[in-house]
């Protein structure tokens, strides 16, 4: 088939690679004038790295392989620890933190020249039993046999195909950045939790550190003119790691992204048009499920396209396969955010009272069970 993919983000480019490998002709339509390489780093769990390997993406030497995940209180007291290398041995793939721009570049480099068409914003979409047609605001038209909407949480394709509104705000925002590491975090992801919000950091390779602060946020709140001053006030007394990160930052290093959540639809498209990634199930960045669930979408869609008798049958099979796990991942990522904005499953007062009493092996098994429940690949 000739497949139109809308959006040159991680999910759109990954889908393009898989579709081309399966023998389809692919055109990726991106409204920006070039690849968007910003946005910090992403955490890839075992399903994400396994699916990328299936797509022929070699991650060796890119980013930081993770060995440990630690949960601490605001003072630095250890609450829980997960052995990520033990899970890597179990699942047959590793967890990694990779700068988003590096992953985008890797994915795009494996596509034939000219696959991505830039400056191609979607204004109109028409679909019938014979195919799909897109029109840009300048009148340029693209046609194909099948359409994949991978254009993010503000998806134009979702609005045109499903007719619903934008993702809802959750009441929390993340301030994050990817900057030179003020200290060596090693192969450890650290999450610190408290009443003021959450703080986390992890190495991203090449001397870089991905860090974030989750704080309550409401629509219409005054814009933070000096966000670093706000973060330093809010997280004062949180221990040396927080102080070192905040002291190392300059104005402009911290970007804010309000958490949003889509209602996961029953049908992920209509006719010859399907959605994947944030266009289908935008969710908060808690537990780093967004990118990994998007890659699960890609794997499921490729399989459904390979086995469905005709393109019109793909939407039902694909929606049925992905809806339950994506909805569960969205629920996990959104757990208790509406109340105080903590990280899912990791900020309950019960866990904090455990004071590190859960053996790492037990905690690791539980975390592995959660990740495998959210995946069809591991």
């Amino acid at each position: 088939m000739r497949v139109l993919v809308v959006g040159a983000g991680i999910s759109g480019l990954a889908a393009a690679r898989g579709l081309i490998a399966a023998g389809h002709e692919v055109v990726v339509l991106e409204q920006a004038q070039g690849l968007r390489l910003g946005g910090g780093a992403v955490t890839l769990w075992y399903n994400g790295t396994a699916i990328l390997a299936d797509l022929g993406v070699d991650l060796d030497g890119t980013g930081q392989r993770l060995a440990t995940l630690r949960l601490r209180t605001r003072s630095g007291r250890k609450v829980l620890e997960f052995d990520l290398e033990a899970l890597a041995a179990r699942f047959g793939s590793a967890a990694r933190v990779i700068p988003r721009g590096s992953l985008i570049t890797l994915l795009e480099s494996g596509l034939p020249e000219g696959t991505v068409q830039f400056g191609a914003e979607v204004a109109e979409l028409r679909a019938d039993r014979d195919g799909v047609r897109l029109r840009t605001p300048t009148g340029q038209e693209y046609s194909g046999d099948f359409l994949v909407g991978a254009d993010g949480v503000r998806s134009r394709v979702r609005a045109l195909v499903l007719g619903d509104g934008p993702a809802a705000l959750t009441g929390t925002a993340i301030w994050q950045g990817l900057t030179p590491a003020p200290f060596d975090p090693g192969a450890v992801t650290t999450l610190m939790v408290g009443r003021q919000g959450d703080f986390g950091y992890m190495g991203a390779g090449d001397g870089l550190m991905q860090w974030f602060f989750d704080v309550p946020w409401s629509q219409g709140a005054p814009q933070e003119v000096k966000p670093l001053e706000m973060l330093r006030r809010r997280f004062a007394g949180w221990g040396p790691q927080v102080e070192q990160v905040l002291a190392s930052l300059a104005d402009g290093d911290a970007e804010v992204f309000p958490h949003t959540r889509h209602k996961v639809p029953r049908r992920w498209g209509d006719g010859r048009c399907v959605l994947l990634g944030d266009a289908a199930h935008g969710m908060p960045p808690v537990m780093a499920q967004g990118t990994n669930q998007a890659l699960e979408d890609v794997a499921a869609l490729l399989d459904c396209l390979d086995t469905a008798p005709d393109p019109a049958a793909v939407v039902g099979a694909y929606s049925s396969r992905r809806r339950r796990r994506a909805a569960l991942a969205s629920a996990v990522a959104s757990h208790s955010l509406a109340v105080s904005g903590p990280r899912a499953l990791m900020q309950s007062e019960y866990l904090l009272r455990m004071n590190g009493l859960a053996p790492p092996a037990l905690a690791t098994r539980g975390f592995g069970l959660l990740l495998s429940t959210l995946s069809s690949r591991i």
Side-chain angles (χ1 to χ4, degrees):
M1 294 189 298
R2 177 177 169 85
V3 183
L4 304 179
V5 177
V6 180
I10 292 172
S11 60
L13 294 175
R17 284 184 69 124
L19 289 164
I20 290 171
H24 301 291
E25 178 188 355
V26 177
V27 177
V28 179
L29 306 177
E30 169 56 50
Q31 68 175 0
Q33 297 302 316
L35 292 175
R36 291 177 290 183
L37 303 178
V42 296
T43 296
L44 297 172
W45 296 120
Y46 310 97
N47 55 337
T49 55
I51 292 168
L52 287 170
D54 294 342
L55 295 173
V57 181
D58 184 2
L59 300 178
D60 288 344
T62 304
Q64 171 67 58
R65 178 172 173 140
L66 295 177
T68 307
L69 169 62
R70 290 183 183 140
L71 174 67
R72 298 182 180 275
T73 66
R74 54 169 288 175
S75 65
R77 188 186 73 222
K78 185 173 73 173
V79 178
L80 289 174
E81 182 168 299
F82 307 91
D83 185 345
L84 301 184
E85 288 291 10
L87 293 178
R90 171 183 167 186
F91 294 132
S93 57
R96 301 188 79 91
V97 175
I98 299 179
R100 182 181 177 277
S102 299
L103 184 53
I104 290 282
T105 300
L106 272 176
L107 289 167
E108 194 273 339
S109 67
L111 299 177
E113 186 175 355
T115 298
V116 183
Q117 300 291 308
F118 295 106
E121 180 182 356
V122 175
E124 301 175 20
L125 186 160
R126 289 178 293 165
D128 54 35
R129 66 180 62 185
D130 296 320
V132 295
R133 290 171 295 280
L134 294 179
R135 182 188 293 270
T136 71
T138 60
Q140 189 170 4
E141 292 191 350
Y142 298 88
S143 62
D145 303 300
F146 196 77
L147 173 70
V148 177
D151 50 339
V153 72
R154 298 177 180 85
S155 172
R156 174 65 173 164
V157 174
R158 178 173 176 137
L160 292 171
V161 172
L162 299 186
D164 62 357
L169 297 169
T170 69
T172 301
I174 185 170
W175 289 90
Q176 67 173 21
L178 180 66
T179 56
F183 55 87
D184 183 8
V188 180
T189 288
T190 298
L191 302 177
M192 300 175 68
V193 297
R195 295 183 181 278
Q196 296 81 3
D198 304 331
F199 166 70
Y201 63 91
M202 64 285 292
D206 296 325
L208 297 175
M209 175 183 286
Q210 170 73 20
W211 48 265
F212 62 83
F213 296 87
D214 278 348
V215 298
W217 187 90
S218 60
Q219 188 175 19
Q223 182 179 358
E224 290 288 349
V225 179
K226 297 182 178 181
L228 290 183
E229 291 186 7
M230 178 273 294
L231 292 172
R232 287 167 181 151
R233 288 194 306 270
R234 189 173 192 89
F235 291 88
W238 265 55
Q241 297 92 343
V242 183
E243 293 178 358
Q244 285 179 271
V245 169
L246 286 171
S248 72
L249 303 181
D251 291 338
D253 285 340
E255 293 184 276
V256 64
F257 299 93
H259 288 193
T260 58
R261 183 188 184 193
H262 265 132
K263 180 180 180 181
V264 178
R266 289 191 59 81
R267 287 181 63 83
W268 291 20
D270 185 62
R272 292 170 174 258
C273 305
V274 300
L275 305 171
L276 62 76
D278 285 346
H281 48 64
M283 62 186 72
V286 176
M287 287 191 66
Q289 281 301 309
T291 298
N292 294 279
Q293 289 297 310
L295 292 171
E296 291 272 351
D297 296 346
V298 171
L301 178 60
L302 292 172
D303 189 54
C304 289
L305 283 169
D306 185 52
T307 56
D310 64 81
V314 170
V315 172
Y318 169 61
S319 303
S320 178
R321 181 175 300 192
R322 285 293 301 134
R323 183 174 60 245
R324 184 183 68 83
R325 282 193 172 92
L328 179 59
S330 180
V332 168
S334 303
H335 177 73
S336 75
L337 284 171
V339 178
S340 59
R343 300 226 140 219
L345 302 182
M346 292 187 175
Q347 178 147 1
S348 70
E349 290 297 322
Y350 173 71
L351 287 180
L352 293 178
R353 290 194 197 103
M354 287 172 66
N355 194 21
L357 295 179
L362 178 61
T364 299
R365 283 197 295 272
F367 189 58
L369 176 61
L370 173 61
L371 292 179
S372 61
T373 300
L374 301 178
S375 172
S376 298
R377 180 59 179 81
I378 57 175

